[in-house]
């Protein structure tokens, strides 16, 4: 058993599974079971190392208490929930550590709802707070437990720049968190704009395929001049009228480039603000309900 910088013991994956069972079986969230660290990352640990370290803990917990009610994560790390009406067992992490804790359901969800409802930037001149949201994405696959009767409304971006930041944060979260929680399943959505009706810009990620961005350009001329223009925006190749960019093994620079590319394309086709945008066909391998409250636009 390791310790943190505060001499608090770090549970092994096996111990984490047993502790999760203790929290899961507790009669209430106030039964004296506090938050305990179950993982500690070395300073500057790379994405793959963090992902695989968390995988070992996550799989040990699932082996003891079953699949979660809600998968998900924030800009800083995973946020996985075993939920019923009285308590939530939460396995959450960041760049430094992961912890297991138990919470009163109403109290935790009310606090999180206030964060979504009352935070954020009121104008483009103010800093956004997508990186402070309790979760950017959630996946409900009708697993054990009880899902919330109401969903949070999400945070609306105040500018296209804020939307691009939210998109970058969410894609980075997917790259680190989805392979552990959803295995090899892909996740994706389409972006549409009221300024360019009928056109779709598609974004998807899967561990085996990497990060993929494409835009429907079938109405564009198939000429060298058009190709030069599209490549200048950052697109890699054209296939049957769709321009594509592929990032087979993405990390933070690649998720930033994907978000920049999406923003450049939307602007080039007339989009001026996030209120014109919608996320459609949001899915994780067409199984369950994938929610993106941290994307900054309606879906």
């Amino acid at each position: 058993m390791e310790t943190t910088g505060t001499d608090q013991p770090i549970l092994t994956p096996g111990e984490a599974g047993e502790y999760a069972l203790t929290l899961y079986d507790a009669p209430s969230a106030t039964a004296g079971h506090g938050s305990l660290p179950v993982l500690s990352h070395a300073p500057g640990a790379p994405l793959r190392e963090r992902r695989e370290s968390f995988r070992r803990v996550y799989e040990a917990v699932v082996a003891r208490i079953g699949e979660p009610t809600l998968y998900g994560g924030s800009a800083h790390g995973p946020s996985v929930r075993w939920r019923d009406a009285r308590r939530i067992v939460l396995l959450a992490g960041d760049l430094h550590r992961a912890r297991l804790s138990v919470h009163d359901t109403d109290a935790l969800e009310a606090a999180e709802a206030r964060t979504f409802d009352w935070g954020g930037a009121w104008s483009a001149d103010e800093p956004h707070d997508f990186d402070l949201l309790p979760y950017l994405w959630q996946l409900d696959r009708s697993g054990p437990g009880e899902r919330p009767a109401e969903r949070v409304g999400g945070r609306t971006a105040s500018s296209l720049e804020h939307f691009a930041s939210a998109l970058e944060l969410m894609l980075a979260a997917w790259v680190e968190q989805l392979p552990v929680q959803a295995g090899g399943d892909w996740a994706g959505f389409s972006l549409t704009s009221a300024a360019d009706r009928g056109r779709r810009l598609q974004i998807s990620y899967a561990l085996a395929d990497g990060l993929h961005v494409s835009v429907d350009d079938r109405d564009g001329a198939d000429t060298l001049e058009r190709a030069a223009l599209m490549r200048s925006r950052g697109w890699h190749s054209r296939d049957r009228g769709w321009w594509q960019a592929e990032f087979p093994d993405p990390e933070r620079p690649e998720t930033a480039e994907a978000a920049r590319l999406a923003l450049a394309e939307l602007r080039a086709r007339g989009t001026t603000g996030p209120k014109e945008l919608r996320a459609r066909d949001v899915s994780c391998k067409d199984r369950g309900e994938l929610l993106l409250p941290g994307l900054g636009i309606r879906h």
Side-chain angles (χ1 to χ4, degrees):
M1 183 181 292
E2 303 177 54
T3 61
T4 65
T6 58
D7 292 328
Q8 195 171 22
I10 301 173
L11 305 184
T12 67
E15 291 169 337
E18 294 303 320
Y19 187 60
L21 183 60
T22 300
L23 299 179
Y24 192 74
D25 287 342
S28 73
T30 58
H33 302 296
S35 171
L36 283 183
V38 294
L39 177 64
S40 179
H41 299 300
L47 181 152
R48 293 176 192 81
E49 182 179 313
R50 296 195 306 270
R51 187 167 63 197
E52 293 311 307
S53 296
F54 184 78
R55 183 192 303 277
R56 290 191 289 272
V57 173
Y58 173 78
E59 290 179 348
V61 171
V62 168
R64 294 301 288 138
I65 63 175
E67 294 293 331
T69 312
L70 296 169
Y71 307 83
S74 72
H76 301 287
S79 179
V80 190
R81 298 158 190 240
W82 289 261
R83 180 195 185 280
D84 63 24
R86 62 183 175 81
R87 60 96 182 96
I88 292 174
V89 175
L90 178 65
L91 175 59
D94 57 26
L95 293 176
H96 307 291
R97 62 187 61 83
R99 305 183 74 91
L100 266 170
S101 55
V102 65
H103 304 266
D104 177 83
T105 298
D106 290 341
L108 178 62
E109 292 181 345
E112 291 178 337
R114 288 193 294 271
T115 301
F116 279 103
D117 290 343
W118 300 109
W122 293 97
S123 72
D125 297 328
E126 298 178 358
H128 69 77
D129 68 347
F130 290 102
D131 55 328
L132 301 179
L133 293 176
Y135 49 89
L136 302 176
W137 67 277
Q138 277 193 336
L139 175 62
D140 180 355
R141 284 187 157 169
S142 300
E146 303 173 32
R147 52 253 345 113
E150 297 182 5
R151 301 294 194 184
V152 298
R155 165 79 76 255
T156 302
S158 297
S159 68
L160 284 178
E161 290 81 5
H162 286 182
F163 162 68
S165 294
L167 176 58
E168 177 187 344
L169 290 170
M170 193 194 69
L171 293 178
W174 276 10
V175 168
E176 183 163 347
Q177 298 159 20
L178 272 173
V180 175
Q181 299 181 45
D185 291 355
W186 57 265
F189 59 93
S190 296
L191 288 172
T192 63
S193 173
D196 189 24
R197 294 188 184 279
R199 193 178 311 281
R200 289 178 178 262
L201 192 155
Q202 297 183 340
I203 299 175
S204 65
Y205 171 73
L207 181 62
D209 302 324
L211 181 59
H212 186 271
V213 188
S214 61
V215 65
D216 185 354
D217 194 51
R218 287 174 293 182
D219 56 344
D222 186 9
T223 63
L224 292 177
E225 291 79 11
R226 181 67 176 175
L229 173 64
M230 296 300 284
R231 291 184 187 279
S232 72
R233 294 178 189 166
W235 296 105
H236 299 170
S237 62
R238 187 174 191 265
D239 180 24
R240 289 169 289 185
W242 286 74
W243 279 93
Q244 305 173 82
E246 298 178 337
F247 307 95
D249 194 17
E251 293 199 23
R252 195 58 181 265
E254 288 75 26
T255 57
E257 172 60 17
R260 185 211 63 77
L261 175 58
L263 178 62
E265 190 65 26
L266 291 168
R267 276 187 163 148
R269 296 181 185 271
T271 300
T272 59
K275 290 184 179 179
E276 297 171 278
L277 298 175
R278 295 291 183 272
R280 305 188 187 279
D281 302 323
V282 180
S283 178
C284 186
K285 203 180 180 181
D286 298 326
R287 187 161 71 90
E289 182 182 17
L290 178 61
L291 303 173
L292 309 177
L295 186 56
I297 60 175
R298 290 176 55 189
H299 71 284

